[in-house]
């Protein structure tokens, strides 16, 4: 049955277009109100109504493994409430998670046509392009930039976040999309004009990513590129070396290289990685204040050397602060290893733990752990983290299995979503991205549509 004019189809289109572009959050009396709180319940109600009417039908995607893993994590979250000091944040967090579950199951199980999937891709691509262009606009005209962290930047006007509320969150959104844009530009399309258009689209996203000045995101983008080349080496390398794409790559690299603070921030990112991976290396500069410059030795220092040492000292302080937050999450988990302190209760218990362990105190009554996995461990214990990870293991196994049943289009979609999802999961090591509604809705919306499309596309290919 063709549900071309179904309200479910139209609502999915609205999700794809509005969620990346429109962010608002307010309160109506005691209840929060935002775009997702309007759209997701509406989609659930309409989809259920149209299914009962027969307007839409379900496909053959085997969603049972997802249902089981989702249910297990919800059960773990409910068990953790035994230790919760506050039920309000717990109930809100479980409700948010269930909204993602319903959204994903609807888009993965409703039987859309191939043309409708193409329309989904076009609408989301238009929204994504508007987000990227608007991000550049905000930087060029110094409009709505985030100025947090500018102490570490000398030339930048501020940090771009476009429509995603926070530069760190925006960088995760960009990294989720970038692999797909690159693959469509280099691997899938053959027409030079179309290739260059998609490469320019990709370039807009890369420049936006640089202008977020999120070092972890820069490193993650580089790793995603390596992953793409490893999985699809012949097709990717052969095409990227074609003259028009090679010239485009050189032009993009030149633009990026001369962006404000790119070189110093890149050095800072490398230093941060070294500090995390090799914390006891004698080659690292123990930072803290500007007086640390005498640690470089007795030789006279020029301005560049002094700036480098100051940058490293600033980076070292940032790394120490972040690792202290991670230690706080780890200590909270160790003190409550089985079922945690209660879903949504990390911030509720934060002050108690930094008071109990003064070495963890960085001067705040509340502070995020900046690591989604440690947050889950602290709040729902070993039961929670195991069931939580089972969801994403199931997801990646689905994508990997479907990849080998695809034509070129399907392979590009599968690899692009797989690599983008890997970047999303990696960036959750340094931020609580999985608990940001706007990002999570985009993630599960694209994930569900991609799996459903790949399953249908794989069935078509195997029938020949």
């Amino acid at each position: 049955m063709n549900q071309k004019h179904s309200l479910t189809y139209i609502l999915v289109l609205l999700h794809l277009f509005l969620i990346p572009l429109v962010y608002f959050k307010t309160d109506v009396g005691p209840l929060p109100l935002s775009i997702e709180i309007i759209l997701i319940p509406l989609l659930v109600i309409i989809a259920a109504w149209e299914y009962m009417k027969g307007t839409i039908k379900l496909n053959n995607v085997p969603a049972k493994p997802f249902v089981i893993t989702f249910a297990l994590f919800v059960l773990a979250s409910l068990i953790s409430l035994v230790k919760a000091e506050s039920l309000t944040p717990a109930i809100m967090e479980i409700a948010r998670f269930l909204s993602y579950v319903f959204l994903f199951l609807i888009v993965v199980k409703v039987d859309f046509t191939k043309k409708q999937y193409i329309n989904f891709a076009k609408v989301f691509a238009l929204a994504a392009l508007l987000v990227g262009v608007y991000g550049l606009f905000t930087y060029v005209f110094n409009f709505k930039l985030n100025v947090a962290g500018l102490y570490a930047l000398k030339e930048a006007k501020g940090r771009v976040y476009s429509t995603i509320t926070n530069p760190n969150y925006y960088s995760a959104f960009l990294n989720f999309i970038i692999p797909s844009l690159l693959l469509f530009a280099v691997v899938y399309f053959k027409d030079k004009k179309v290739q260059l258009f998609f490469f320019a689209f990709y370039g807009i996203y890369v420049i936006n990513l640089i202008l977020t000045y999120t070092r972890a995101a820069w490193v993650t983008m580089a790793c995603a590129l390596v992953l793409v080349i490893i999985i699809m080496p012949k097709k990717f390398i052969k095409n990227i070396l074609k003259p028009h794409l090679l010239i485009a790559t050189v032009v993009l690299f030149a633009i990026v290289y001369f962006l404000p603070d790119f070189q110093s921030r890149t050095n800072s990112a490398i230093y941060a990685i070294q500090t995390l991976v090799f914390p006891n290396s004698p080659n690292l500069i123990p930072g803290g204040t500007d007086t640390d410059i005498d640690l470089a030795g007795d030789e006279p220092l020029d301005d560049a050397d002094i700036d480098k040492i100051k940058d490293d000292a600033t980076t070292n302080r940032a790394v120490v602060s972040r690792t202290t937050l991670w230690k706080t999450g780890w200590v909270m988990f160790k003190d409550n290893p089985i079922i945690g302190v209660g879903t949504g209760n990390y911030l509720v218990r934060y002050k108690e733990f930094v008071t109990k362990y003064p070495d963890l105190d960085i001067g705040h009554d509340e502070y995020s752990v900046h690591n989604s996995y440690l947050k889950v461990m602290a709040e729902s214990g070993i039961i929670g983290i195991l069931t939580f990870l089972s969801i994403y293991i199931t997801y990646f196994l689905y994508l990997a299995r479907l990849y080998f049943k695809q034509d070129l289009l399907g392979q590009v979609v599968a690899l692009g979503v797989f690599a983008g999802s890997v970047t999303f999961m990696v960036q959750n090591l340094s931020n609580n991205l999985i608990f940001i509604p706007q990002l999570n809705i985009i993630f599960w919306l694209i994930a569900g549509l991609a799996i459903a499309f790949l399953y249908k596309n794989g069935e078509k290919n195997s029938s020949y």
Side-chain angles (χ1 to χ4, degrees), residues 261-455:
D261 283 307
F262 172 75
Q263 297 169 50
S264 63
R265 196 68 165 169
T266 299
N267 292 333
S268 176
I270 295 171
Y271 177 76
I273 294 171
Q274 291 174 333
T275 304
L276 287 171
V277 178
F278 307 107
N280 299 318
S281 172
N283 295 321
L284 295 177
I285 301 171
T289 66
D290 293 349
T291 59
D292 292 325
I293 60 175
D294 62 357
L295 295 169
D298 297 328
E299 296 295 323
L301 300 174
D302 59 23
D303 290 342
D305 289 331
I306 293 173
D307 287 343
K308 172 66 166 59
I309 294 169
K310 288 181 178 180
D311 287 344
D312 287 350
T314 300
T315 301
N316 191 61
R317 291 196 297 273
V319 169
V320 169
S321 176
R322 186 61 57 91
T323 54
T324 301
L325 294 173
W326 295 342
K327 288 176 183 176
T328 306
W330 178 253
V331 168
M332 199 178 292
F333 164 69
K334 285 203 305 180
D335 280 12
N336 303 270
I338 307 302
I339 61 173
V341 299
T343 294
N345 273 241
Y346 180 86
L347 292 179
V348 175
R349 301 289 296 276
Y350 178 82
K351 182 64 175 178
E352 171 193 333
F353 274 84
V354 298
T355 302
K356 183 178 179 181
Y357 302 98
D359 289 346
L360 303 176
D361 193 352
I362 59 172
H364 297 272
D365 290 338
E366 286 186 355
Y367 214 97
S368 163
V369 67
H370 281 275
N371 183 306
S372 290
Y373 311 106
L374 285 172
K375 173 176 161 61
V376 173
M377 291 168 66
E379 292 186 343
S380 53
I382 191 68
I383 299 174
I385 190 63
L386 290 177
T387 55
F388 180 76
L389 292 177
S390 71
I391 296 170
Y392 295 94
I393 291 171
T394 300
Y395 167 65
F396 282 111
L397 287 176
Y398 260 69
L399 285 177
R401 186 180 66 177
L402 289 169
Y403 174 84
F404 294 102
K405 299 179 180 180
Q406 304 301 315
D407 55 15
L408 181 60
L409 174 60
Q411 287 181 342
V412 166
V413 171
L415 178 53
V417 174
F418 185 93
S421 299
V422 169
T423 68
F424 185 71
M425 301 307 292
V426 170
Q427 280 193 244
N428 271 279
L429 291 168
S430 58
N431 275 287
N432 295 347
L433 304 174
I434 285 172
F435 298 92
I436 305 304
Q438 189 180 23
L439 288 181
N440 246 337
I441 292 167
I442 293 169
F443 178 89
W444 286 115
L445 192 58
I446 300 302
L449 290 171
I451 287 175
F453 167 77
L454 291 170
Y455 192 88

Side-chain angles (χ1 to χ4, degrees), residues 103-321:
L103 173 67
F104 172 79
L105 291 177
I106 288 170
V107 298
V108 86
K109 282 300 297 177
V110 173
D111 189 22
F112 296 112
T113 65
K114 184 175 181 179
K115 184 177 180 181
Q116 288 172 333
Y117 285 118
I118 292 173
N119 289 338
F120 289 148
K122 289 179 178 178
V123 167
F124 182 70
L126 175 60
L129 182 59
L130 291 174
V131 170
V133 171
Y134 179 68
L136 293 184
F137 174 86
T138 62
Y139 191 84
V140 170
F141 294 97
N142 197 12
F143 173 69
K144 289 189 66 177
L145 297 177
N146 185 298
V147 296
L150 286 187
Y151 60 85
L153 302 172
K154 301 179 181 64
E155 304 169 358
K157 303 174 185 177
R159 302 173 64 197
V160 169
Y161 63 92
S162 189
T163 60
I164 313 291
T165 76
N166 177 293
N168 294 338
Y169 305 162
Y170 184 42
S171 71
F173 169 80
L174 295 168
N175 266 335
F176 183 54
I177 308 300
I178 279 174
S180 294
L181 292 176
L182 182 60
L183 283 165
F184 273 105
V186 176
V187 175
Y188 181 70
F189 290 111
K190 305 303 178 187
D191 183 88
K192 288 184 180 180
K193 292 181 180 179
V194 178
Q195 282 184 317
L196 290 174
F197 171 79
F198 269 85
F199 195 89
F201 193 167
Y202 162 73
I204 289 172
Y205 263 50
V206 171
I207 293 170
N208 269 268
L209 186 65
I210 300 304
L211 295 177
T212 67
Y213 293 101
T214 304
R215 290 168 295 189
W218 294 11
V219 175
T220 305
M221 178 178 64
C223 293
L225 176 60
V226 172
L227 178 62
V228 166
I229 294 173
I230 289 173
I231 296 177
M232 197 176 279
K234 292 183 179 179
K235 293 175 182 177
F236 185 86
I237 294 174
K238 178 183 176 182
N239 288 345
I240 197 67
L241 293 177
K242 290 180 179 178
H244 62 292
L245 288 178
L246 190 59
I247 292 171
T249 302
V250 172
V251 170
L252 176 60
F253 178 79
I255 293 172
V256 167
Y257 187 78
F258 290 104
L259 286 175
D261 283 307
F262 172 75
Q263 297 169 50
S264 63
R265 196 68 165 169
T266 299
N267 292 333
S268 176
I270 295 171
Y271 177 76
I273 294 171
Q274 291 174 333
T275 304
L276 287 171
V277 178
F278 307 107
N280 299 318
S281 172
N283 295 321
L284 295 177
I285 301 171
T289 66
D290 293 349
T291 59
D292 292 325
I293 60 175
D294 62 357
L295 295 169
D298 297 328
E299 296 295 323
L301 300 174
D302 59 23
D303 290 342
D305 289 331
I306 293 173
D307 287 343
K308 172 66 166 59
I309 294 169
K310 288 181 178 180
D311 287 344
D312 287 350
T314 300
T315 301
N316 191 61
R317 291 196 297 273
V319 169
V320 169
S321 176

